[in-house]
Amino acid sequence: MYPDGKRRKEGTTFKIVTISLVLCLILSAASQAALGDRTLSQGSKGAEVKDLQKRLVQIGFQVGNVDGVYGKATAAAVKRFQKSRGIKVDGLAGSNTIDELKKLTGESTTSSGKKIGIKNTDVQLLAHCIYAEGRGEPYLGQVAIGACVMNRIKSSKFPHTIAGVIYQPQAFSAVDDGQINIQPDDGAVKAAREAMNGSDPTGGAIYYFNPAKTTNKFVWARPQIKQIGSHIFTR
Amino acid sequence: MREETKKKVLSILTLTFVIAFAFSLGWGIYQFRMLQDYKMKTENQYKRALNDLVNNLDEVETCMSKVMVANSPAQKVLYLGETWKGSESAVSKMGQLPADEVGINYVDTLMNQVSDFSKSLTRKVASVEGMTPEELKMFNDMHDRVIDVNRAVQQISTQFYAENLAWLDKQPGFLERIGIGKILKTAAQGGESNGDNQGGQEASQQIPTSVGGGLKQLDTSLQKYPPFTYQGELDKHYVEKPLGLPQGDASESKAVSVAKDFLADMGYKNADPKITGLSQGPMGGYNMTYRDVYLEVSKKGGVLTYYRDQRDINERQMDVKKAVDQAYTAIQKLGWNLVVTSTEDLGDHVQVDAVAQESGVRLYPDKVRMTIAMDNGQVTGFDANPYYAYHHDRNLNKVLTLEQAKTKLNKNFAIIENRMAVISKLGTDEALCYEFRGTALGEEYLIYINALDGSEEKICRIVNTPRGKLIQ
């Protein structure tokens, strides 16, 4: 048997170790708090906010700088996201909002649950093209621009990929003057997704032009299909 | 005293100028070097694309020649496959070369057709059907034309290296560059050369003065040939002859009343749509608007082809299943007979694809796409263009029995459900098939077995994306 003093000493050591362990756990939990552990709101800061911002940007909701600070721009992006998903619009990133965001930014899986990456990554490039070429156009007009790109892929006259069509020299003025690099808004991303999904409000167009700004004989000579917004869509 | 101050000021001024001059000189040299550097990088990319293009074309030309002499399906398939991929790559490389306009379409068209035709032949030859004499003849014709293209591009490439040929003919002047001389081209892609080709004949005789110019001449020289036509062609994006539009032309007042009836069915009371434009082409007709609603009624047949309400959507009140029920209610109200085949959750909307069904056979080409608003279950979108483009009376008599079709499946494939379906193949071709949904190796697939000849017509992989099931 041990003398009394030693046992007491052992007890104290045990307490200290336990307390420090618990402290460590709490601290590490606090520093690595995962997105969704708590409701984030304007004024929140930290890694979770940064994760939130990254995910919002990934699906086209611009937050300004991805800086880990839940500012006005982030709150506005959260509101736009909520509106687009039919969630109550309050600008707070609660569990509903975060779950929906996590779901949409997740990877695709096979039927047995194996992760196989994100499908349709080209949607970002198409959204850039739509935004650069057609910001200010009605939503349907933006889908129509995306549909034109998708129709070109199906046409025998053009390359067979989204990047091939968009970066073909002189194909889109917005590519040649660099506007293609402007971050698209969520409307453009939505339009891009819809066009990639096969929606075509143009009736099979592969060219379009703005009649108020174009003198190019070639496009004026193309058989016209219809006008959507300020663009005339042609075959 | 004053003289000294003057001198002092003067020397300080001189010193400032000298420093400023040295600084700007340094900055200028730095900028110049950077520009040289960027220019070199871009040029290298162009050169790489040109060399790849030359190689691709040569490879395609060689493989096409081998296809025609090969006797075993194994060799034929091998060279057809290389032709297919090689020509696809040539089109991609051509799109990387600098151009002053998008107009080199004929070379693209030829190479895309070679790619497309070889792809369909690969499939035929692999299934031991072989090539028909007509197909062989067309392949031979295509080969001849590819030889021409190959020689022309090689000529350009040789000249490029020998004479340091420019990439483009005339560079825009300084004024044009800064946007004063000429109006910038708008979204209107495309160039003038295709429209006015009166200068074409003499151009083809000239020696090219630039790579772009040479390719343009080649394009002009190809214009005089008739286009190739074959089964399962490309260009499916535009339907020349819609099969499903009813007979007879609709007047304006008829079109407006069709739109009014449709809106009444969709729950708008006393809607008053106004014609705001006309659309052309075989599916064309009257474009109408009413508040946030945009509609199209075809001239031929006078049917509603497109409807979309772009109203603001409020908070979500239902799940996808409820939305599908709403879609069925609307389909019934409109007097259609459709079955919902897929849904996509867009958040504020659910997109529902429904297809026609005839004696138990799903007609996938005859598709109607709807969107349902998740706040009140209203149909906010209805696109019947594919339905009217492809719907027609089909021969739905099968040759194979279900049991016979099942023997064509992979041994590891476990069937979950099966049905009959008409699917679209390359181009406007269709096939009557057995559709099997099932799993194999931990993945879900749709496999289509042709109900006439038993060939494995198509394989689709089903993956779960965050927005619903995606059929690849």
Side-chain angles (χ1 to χ4, degrees), chain B residues 96-113:
Chain B
Q96 290 170 30
L97 290 173
D100 43 19
E101 58 199 359
V102 168
I104 317 173
N105 280 346
Y106 283 81
V107 184
D108 279 348
T109 305
L110 173 67
M111 296 317 290
N112 272 328
Q113 284 191 323

Side-chain angles (χ1 to χ4, degrees), chain B residues 213-284:
Chain B
L215 288 173
K216 227 184 279 175
Q217 285 175 26
L218 169 63
D219 201 55
T220 316
S221 72
L222 281 173
Q223 282 182 35
K224 59 178 183 258
Y225 294 116
F228 290 110
T229 49
Y230 50 91
Q231 276 265 301
E233 268 175 272
L234 280 169
D235 291 329
K236 203 188 171 181
H237 62 278
Y238 187 77
V239 180
E240 289 287 351
K241 287 193 194 96
L243 304 167
L245 286 179
Q247 291 302 314
D249 283 356
S251 63
E252 278 190 21
S253 55
K254 171 83 196 323
V256 171
S257 82
V258 166
K260 271 186 185 166
D261 289 350
F262 181 88
L263 288 175
D265 282 339
M266 293 294 108
Y268 298 84
K269 291 199 179 78
N270 305 320
D272 179 26
K274 292 268 186 302
I275 293 183
T276 48
L278 298 174
S279 51
Q280 318 299 323
M283 300 283 285

Side-chain angles (χ1 to χ4, degrees), chain B residues 6-175:
Chain B
K6 248 187 194 171
K7 263 186 190 167
K8 224 178 185 176
V9 168
L10 209 67
S11 64
I12 288 171
L13 267 178
T14 321
L15 197 69
T16 320
F17 274 120
V18 167
I19 290 171
F21 180 72
F23 182 76
S24 58
L25 192 72
W27 180 78
I29 291 171
Y30 174 70
Q31 287 292 314
F32 178 72
R33 288 223 174 121
M34 275 231 300
L35 190 69
Q36 292 289 89
D37 197 36
Y38 281 134
K39 210 177 152 190
M40 184 59 73
K41 281 179 182 148
T42 327
E43 286 262 314
N44 288 345
Q45 286 296 326
Y46 289 158
K47 281 182 190 163
R48 180 178 165 187
L50 180 64
N51 278 286
D52 278 345
L53 173 66
V54 172
N55 275 325
N56 281 151
L57 285 172
D58 197 50
E59 188 182 276
V60 167
E61 191 272 312
T62 312
C63 288
M64 287 180 90
S65 151
K66 292 182 184 173
V67 167
M68 284 181 288
V69 76
N71 199 31
S72 65
Q75 286 295 306
K76 267 200 156 63
V77 165
L78 179 70
Y79 292 121
L80 277 170
E82 273 184 49
T83 308
W84 156 28
K85 279 294 167 195
S87 22
E88 211 166 68
S89 171
V91 174
S92 155
K93 292 292 158 355
M94 202 121 55
Q96 290 170 30
L97 290 173
D100 43 19
E101 58 199 359
V102 168
I104 317 173
N105 280 346
Y106 283 81
V107 184
D108 279 348
T109 305
L110 173 67
M111 296 317 290
N112 272 328
Q113 284 191 323
V114 170
S115 153
D116 201 28
F117 190 51
S118 337
K119 189 175 171 182
S120 69
L121 286 179
T122 311
R123 205 175 167 284
K124 278 193 83 180
V125 172
S127 69
V128 211
E129 259 181 87
M131 288 160 80
T132 63
E134 293 78 43
E135 283 166 346
L136 199 62
K137 164 94 179 34
M138 180 167 301
F139 198 76
N140 196 16
D141 291 349
M142 281 182 174
H143 182 214
D144 285 345
R145 234 176 269 183
V146 170
I147 290 178
D148 287 349
V149 172
N150 188 23
R151 291 180 59 218
V153 173
Q154 274 176 2
Q155 166 78 32
I156 295 168
S157 164
T158 317
Q159 215 183 327
F160 173 77
Y161 280 107
E163 298 166 27
N164 209 5
L165 212 59
W167 285 107
L168 293 173
D169 265 340
K170 46 174 196 291
Q171 291 293 337
F174 178 68
L175 288 182

Side-chain angles (χ1 to χ4, degrees), chain A residues 125-142:
Chain A
L125 177 57
L126 187 58
H128 271 91
C129 180
I130 290 174
Y131 189 67
E133 288 270 318
R135 54 183 184 278
E137 288 296 305
Y139 176 72
L140 205 59
Q142 297 193 342

Side-chain angles (χ1 to χ4, degrees), chain A residues 86 156 171 194 197 214 218 225, chain B residues 112 186 189 191 280 308 344:
Chain A
S156 64
E194 187 166 346
N197 238 320
T214 305
F218 172 70
I225 303 174
Chain B
N112 272 328
T186 59
Q189 324 73 60
Q280 318 299 323
R308 183 178 289 230
E344 181 169 347

Side-chain angles (χ1 to χ4, degrees), chain A residues 156-173:
Chain A
S156 64
K157 297 188 175 73
F158 295 92
H160 277 351
T161 59
I162 289 183
V165 166
I166 290 178
Y167 285 114
Q168 202 179 14
Q170 304 294 326
F172 295 95
S173 56

